[in-house]
Amino acid sequence: MKNVWGGSVRMSFFDKVKQGATDAAKKAQQTVEITKLKTQISSKEKEIEKHYNLIGEAVYAARLAGNAAQSEAEVADLCEGITSIKEEIVQIEQKINEARNEKECVCGKVVLADTKFCSVCGHKFYEA
Ligand SMILES: [Zn+2]
């Protein structure tokens, strides 16, 4: 005699296996995505370092020439460049949080994406 319960238990077992495989695939894809974004951040950080070097060179060259003010415009440009690269890094960090299904509160606490209130500062998140 066939047991209806046995059949349904078996079904749910296979469903669980299938669900597990889907979760694993999702997790792997998420890891790839996060690694890619972290690589982007590293290259942005290298760009910033390059900007700092150029600032140093510009200031040094101006000093050598006996006119420190000569480097001012170039240094201002490079500083602006650094600021915009830093903004790009913040955006990439946000993408990493999204990939992890997390978001960052204004207080710096990282919470799950569907959180409505921050448990640390009480900040209310707007519905996306
Ligand atoms: Zn908070």
Side-chain angles (χ1 to χ4, degrees):
M1 194 162 85
K2 241 188 175 175
N3 188 329
V4 176
W5 272 100
S8 94
V9 166
R10 234 230 282 272
M11 269 289 268
S12 86
F13 171 74
F14 283 116
D15 280 350
K16 260 183 210 158
V17 170
K18 215 166 88 182
Q19 183 60 43
T22 311
D23 288 348
K26 223 191 249 176
K27 190 90 194 159
Q29 195 188 5
Q30 196 185 53
T31 305
V32 168
E33 176 72 10
I34 290 169
T35 304
K36 203 178 82 190
L37 292 166
K38 279 184 176 167
T39 306
Q40 283 177 19
I41 289 180
S42 313
S43 79
K44 297 276 177 205
E45 280 169 345
K46 276 188 199 120
E47 262 181 69
I48 288 178
E49 230 165 89
K50 218 160 141 191
H51 277 61
Y52 281 133
N53 277 333
L54 290 170
I55 289 171
E57 277 171 23
V59 170
Y60 180 67
R63 284 263 167 193
L64 269 192
N67 181 8
Q70 177 188 296
S71 62
E72 224 163 77
E74 196 180 347
V75 169
D77 272 358
L78 288 162
C79 285
E80 257 177 59
I82 289 172
T83 303
S84 68
I85 295 168
K86 283 188 172 180
E87 280 164 9
E88 286 167 24
I89 289 176
V90 168
Q91 281 170 6
I92 297 168
E93 281 169 344
Q94 271 169 10
K95 280 188 196 164
I96 290 177
N97 284 341
E98 281 165 25
R100 284 184 173 143
N101 205 29
E102 290 172 344
K103 60 187 173 186
E104 193 177 338
C105 180
V106 287
C107 70
K109 167 91 177 159
V110 175
V111 297
L112 285 175
D114 61 355
T115 303
K116 292 195 172 68
F117 292 94
C118 175
S119 61
V120 173
C121 72
H123 175 75
K124 184 183 189 300
F125 295 101
Y126 291 100
E127 293 293 329

